[in-house]
Amino acid sequence: MSFLKQAAVGSIILASSALIFATAPTKDDATAMISKAITYIKTNGVEKAFPAFMDTTGEFVKGELYVFVYDFSGVCLAHGQKPKLVGKNRIDVADVNGKKYIEEMVNLAKTKGTGSVDYLFQNPESKKIEPKTSFFTRVPGKDMFVACGIYSEKK
């Protein structure tokens, strides 16, 4: 293979790799999604917002980046990837290491209003259990929070 062909192939591989890493969601992507969701709730109310959050072709679900909402008792109110969780109390649910991540988010949302929690969860893209950090913010004037997470390890 000539030097020019090798250089062209190398450039394509580098560009592809950069594209893969550039498209992985970031903390800023997750927190922007949360802000957008809270604004949507304020503008449209929960009756319109929750179905929008669960529309897999809508603006609140982008691959592994999606919005989920819990009330302060641990009941799932909306979930962009797993609608079967809606209506279920998940306060005692733990990840594979025993961490009660919903309970931790509820407690922090109640006391601090915003924060993040690290835990293990199934990535909807890879279908593997991976480290995840979920960021969350309390909805002003309501006993609920909006969350969105990112997976921190790509395999």
Side-chain angles (χ1 to χ4, degrees):
M1 188 182 309
S2 75
F3 174 75
L4 285 176
K5 285 183 183 176
Q6 287 177 338
V9 169
S11 295
I12 290 169
I13 291 169
L14 282 174
S16 297
S17 297
L19 183 60
I20 289 167
F21 291 110
T23 59
T26 66
K27 174 185 177 182
D28 290 343
D29 296 329
T31 56
M33 183 86 80
I34 292 167
S35 294
K36 185 177 180 180
I38 289 175
T39 299
Y40 197 90
I41 290 171
K42 289 178 184 176
T43 305
N44 300 288
V46 294
E47 298 79 14
K48 195 171 181 182
F50 292 171
F53 298 163
M54 296 190 303
D55 178 358
T56 58
T57 61
E59 60 187 305
F60 296 100
V61 178
K62 303 291 179 206
E64 68 184 51
L65 196 67
Y66 56 89
V67 166
F68 55 99
V69 183
Y70 279 84
D71 70 15
F72 285 177
S73 66
V75 174
C76 182
L77 303 175
H79 199 289
Q81 280 293 333
K82 295 188 177 190
K84 67 182 181 190
L85 298 179
V86 174
K88 295 185 178 180
N89 189 313
R90 302 188 69 238
I91 197 80
D92 290 324
V93 170
D95 72 4
V96 295
N97 290 332
K99 183 172 191 169
K100 293 183 176 182
Y101 57 94
I102 300 295
E103 180 180 55
E104 189 172 336
M105 283 187 252
V106 166
N107 290 334
L108 288 169
K110 280 181 184 178
T111 59
K112 298 189 186 242
T114 189
S116 66
V117 172
D118 298 321
Y119 57 102
L120 298 173
F121 199 74
Q122 184 180 30
N123 184 323
E125 297 288 301
S126 72
K127 306 296 186 218
K128 294 178 182 176
I129 301 295
E130 297 179 11
K132 183 173 186 175
T133 301
S134 284
F135 305 92
F136 53 87
T137 301
R138 181 180 185 161
V139 178
K142 301 201 181 285
D143 288 342
M144 68 176 73
F145 62 89
V146 174
C148 185
I150 58 171
Y151 292 89
S152 55
E153 236 175 69
K154 300 293 175 196
K155 305 222 181 249

